[in-house]
Coordinates of all heavy atoms in Angstrom, one line a residue:
S1 N 114.0 94.1 73.8 CA 113.9 94.7 75.1 C 114.6 93.7 76.1 O 114.4 92.5 76.1 CB 112.4 94.8 75.5 OG 112.3 95.1 76.9
I2 N 115.5 94.2 76.9 CA 116.2 93.4 77.9 C 115.3 92.8 78.9 O 115.4 91.6 79.2 CB 117.3 94.2 78.6 CG1 118.3 94.8 77.6 CG2 118.0 93.4 79.6 CD1 119.0 93.8 76.8
G3 N 114.4 93.6 79.4 CA 113.5 93.0 80.5 C 112.5 92.0 80.0 O 112.0 91.2 80.7
N4 N 112.2 92.0 78.7 CA 111.2 91.1 78.2 C 111.8 90.3 77.0 O 111.1 90.0 76.0 CB 110.0 91.8 77.7 CG 108.8 90.9 77.4 OD1 108.6 89.9 78.1 ND2 108.1 91.1 76.4
A5 N 113.1 90.1 77.0 CA 113.8 89.5 75.9 C 113.3 88.1 75.6 O 113.0 87.3 76.4 CB 115.3 89.3 76.2
G6 N 113.0 87.9 74.3 CA 112.5 86.6 73.8 C 111.0 86.5 74.0 O 110.4 85.5 73.6
G7 N 110.3 87.4 74.6 CA 108.9 87.3 74.8 C 108.1 87.8 73.6 O 108.6 88.3 72.7
R8 N 106.8 87.8 73.8 CA 105.9 88.3 72.7 C 105.9 89.8 72.7 O 106.0 90.4 73.8 CB 104.5 87.8 72.9 CG 104.4 86.3 72.7 CD 102.9 85.9 72.9 NE 102.8 84.4 72.8 CZ 101.6 83.8 72.9 NH1 100.5 84.5 73.3 NH2 101.6 82.5 72.8
P9 N 105.8 90.5 71.6 CA 105.8 91.9 71.6 C 104.5 92.5 72.2 O 103.5 91.9 72.1 CB 105.8 92.3 70.1 CG 105.3 91.0 69.4 CD 105.7 89.9 70.2
E10 N 104.6 93.6 73.0 CA 103.5 94.1 73.7 C 103.0 95.3 72.9 O 103.7 96.1 72.2 CB 104.0 94.6 75.0 CG 104.8 93.6 75.8 CD 104.0 92.4 76.2 OE1 102.8 92.4 76.0 OE2 104.6 91.4 76.6
R11 N 101.7 95.5 72.9 CA 101.0 96.6 72.2 C 101.3 97.9 72.9 O 101.1 98.0 74.1 CB 99.5 96.3 72.1 CG 99.2 95.1 71.2 CD 97.7 94.9 71.2 NE 97.4 93.7 70.4 CZ 96.1 93.2 70.3 NH1 95.1 93.8 70.9 NH2 95.9 92.1 69.6
D12 N 101.6 98.9 72.1 CA 101.8 100.3 72.6 C 102.8 100.3 73.8 O 102.7 101.2 74.7 CB 100.5 100.9 73.1 CG 99.4 100.9 71.9 OD1 99.8 101.1 70.8 OD2 98.2 100.6 72.2
G13 N 103.8 99.4 73.7 CA 104.8 99.4 74.8 C 104.3 98.9 76.1 O 105.0 99.0 77.1
Q14 N 103.0 98.5 76.2 CA 102.5 98.1 77.5 C 102.5 96.5 77.6 O 102.3 95.8 76.7 CB 101.0 98.6 77.7 CG 100.9 100.1 77.6 CD 101.7 100.8 78.7 OE1 101.6 100.3 79.9 NE2 102.4 101.8 78.4
R15 N 102.7 96.1 78.9 CA 102.6 94.6 79.1 C 101.2 94.2 79.1 O 100.3 94.9 79.5 CB 103.3 94.3 80.5 CG 104.8 94.4 80.5 CD 105.3 93.8 81.8 NE 106.7 93.8 81.9 CZ 107.5 92.8 81.4 NH1 106.9 91.8 80.9 NH2 108.8 92.9 81.5
R16 N 100.9 93.0 78.7 CA 99.6 92.4 78.7 C 99.2 92.2 80.2 O 100.1 91.8 81.0 CB 99.5 91.1 78.0 CG 99.8 91.2 76.5 CD 99.8 89.9 75.8 NE 100.2 89.9 74.4 CZ 99.5 90.3 73.4 NH1 98.2 90.6 73.6 NH2 100.0 90.3 72.2
P17 N 98.0 92.4 80.5 CA 97.6 92.2 81.9 C 97.7 90.8 82.3 O 97.5 89.9 81.5 CB 96.1 92.7 82.0 CG 95.6 92.6 80.5 CD 96.8 92.9 79.7
G18 N 98.0 90.5 83.5 CA 98.1 89.1 84.0 C 98.7 89.1 85.4 O 99.2 90.1 85.8
P19 N 98.8 87.9 86.0 CA 99.4 87.8 87.3 C 100.9 88.1 87.3 O 101.5 87.7 86.3 CB 99.0 86.4 87.7 CG 98.8 85.7 86.4 CD 98.2 86.7 85.5
D20 N 101.4 88.7 88.3 CA 102.8 88.9 88.4 C 103.5 87.6 88.7 O 103.2 87.0 89.8 CB 103.1 89.9 89.5 CG 104.6 90.3 89.5 OD1 105.4 89.6 89.0 OD2 104.9 91.4 90.1
P21 N 104.4 87.1 87.9 CA 105.1 85.8 88.2 C 105.7 85.8 89.6 O 105.8 84.7 90.2 CB 106.1 85.7 87.1 CG 105.6 86.5 86.0 CD 104.9 87.7 86.6
R22 N 106.2 86.9 90.0 CA 106.8 87.0 91.3 C 105.8 86.7 92.5 O 106.2 86.4 93.6 CB 107.5 88.3 91.5 CG 108.8 88.5 90.7 CD 109.2 89.9 90.7 NE 108.3 90.8 89.9 CZ 108.5 92.1 89.9 NH1 109.4 92.7 90.6 NH2 107.6 92.8 89.1
E23 N 104.5 86.9 92.2 CA 103.5 86.6 93.2 C 103.0 85.2 93.2 O 102.1 84.9 94.0 CB 102.4 87.6 93.1 CG 102.8 89.1 93.2 CD 101.7 90.1 93.0 OE1 100.6 89.6 92.6 OE2 101.9 91.3 93.1
Q24 N 103.4 84.4 92.3 CA 102.9 83.0 92.2 C 103.7 82.2 93.2 O 104.8 82.5 93.6 CB 103.2 82.5 90.7 CG 102.5 83.3 89.7 CD 101.0 83.3 89.9 OE1 100.3 82.3 90.0 NE2 100.4 84.5 89.9
P25 N 103.1 81.1 93.6 CA 103.8 80.2 94.5 C 105.0 79.6 93.9 O 105.0 79.4 92.7 CB 102.7 79.1 94.8 CG 101.8 79.2 93.7 CD 101.7 80.6 93.3
P26 N 106.1 79.4 94.6 CA 107.3 78.9 94.0 C 107.1 77.5 93.4 O 106.4 76.7 93.9 CB 108.3 78.8 95.2 CG 107.4 78.7 96.4 CD 106.2 79.5 96.1

């Protein structure tokens, strides 16, 4: 997957729940 390249595989095509990195402080 281009958007998640190199990451862990997600179950049933869904991302694991968690904070959006874009909402974290820089």
